[in-house]
Amino acid sequence: MRSLLAAAALLAATSCSASSGAAAPSAAPSATPETYHATDLRPGDCFDDISPDGFATLVTCEKPHVYEFAGIWVLPDEPWPGDDKVIERSTKGCEEKVRIKKALRDTVTWTAFAPVLATWPKHRTAYCVALSVEEGVKLTGHVLG
């Protein structure tokens, strides 16, 4: 199973709600770093971290970065199913979203920032991202196909 527990813990302090008035990110970030809420990221956006309040500063994918955003998966609107079910459903949903280039499948994996009890059921979105299989090693270029 992917490292969803760590990803869920990262977002435990955030509601991951959409930011008001934020423009959608562009496919190629400008020279000035632009920060967007996770709900505003687009497939192919690259970044190094998500803050506890759910924001990521985009970086050019041609420079080393930790994550490449793949997409989202929204879990069903229902009572909190428990941590294990949320992780299982986030994993299954993100598996459909993350398409790692064939030549990179030995060095790139994926995970999901899963929803948490504190913000359920308002926020039921899992954020799917690609990252290096080696801890501390960054990606360079687009890894998703």
Side-chain angles (χ1 to χ4, degrees):
M1 183 174 296
R2 308 295 179 197
S3 56
L4 287 170
L5 289 177
L10 177 66
L11 292 181
T14 179
S15 65
C16 288
S17 62
S19 59
S20 59
S26 63
S30 68
T32 305
E34 297 181 28
T35 302
Y36 297 96
H37 194 273
T39 57
D40 294 320
L41 296 177
R42 292 183 180 173
D45 283 341
C46 298
F47 57 99
D48 286 320
D49 195 16
I50 292 184
S51 67
D53 59 354
F55 286 86
T57 300
L58 300 185
V59 298
T60 178
C61 295
E62 301 316 311
K63 293 188 178 181
H65 56 279
V66 177
Y67 303 108
E68 183 173 337
F69 185 75
I72 63 168
W73 180 259
V74 180
L75 283 79
D77 187 6
E78 63 184 11
W80 177 251
D83 290 337
D84 291 341
K85 286 283 185 194
V86 166
I87 290 169
E88 177 185 322
R89 291 175 182 170
S90 295
T91 300
K92 187 172 184 165
C94 282
E95 188 171 32
E96 298 174 7
K97 301 287 182 182
V98 183
R99 300 285 182 234
I100 298 167
K101 291 179 180 178
K102 188 174 184 176
L104 300 174
R105 291 183 186 157
D106 290 337
T107 59
V108 177
T109 189
W110 60 272
T111 192
F113 298 113
V116 295
L117 174 60
T119 59
W120 190 273
K122 185 175 180 181
H123 304 286
R124 299 173 284 110
T125 303
Y127 300 94
C128 316
V129 296
L131 68 157
S132 174
V133 296
E134 291 185 53
E135 189 173 334
V137 173
K138 292 188 173 190
L139 306 173
T140 302
H142 286 283
V143 299
L144 299 174

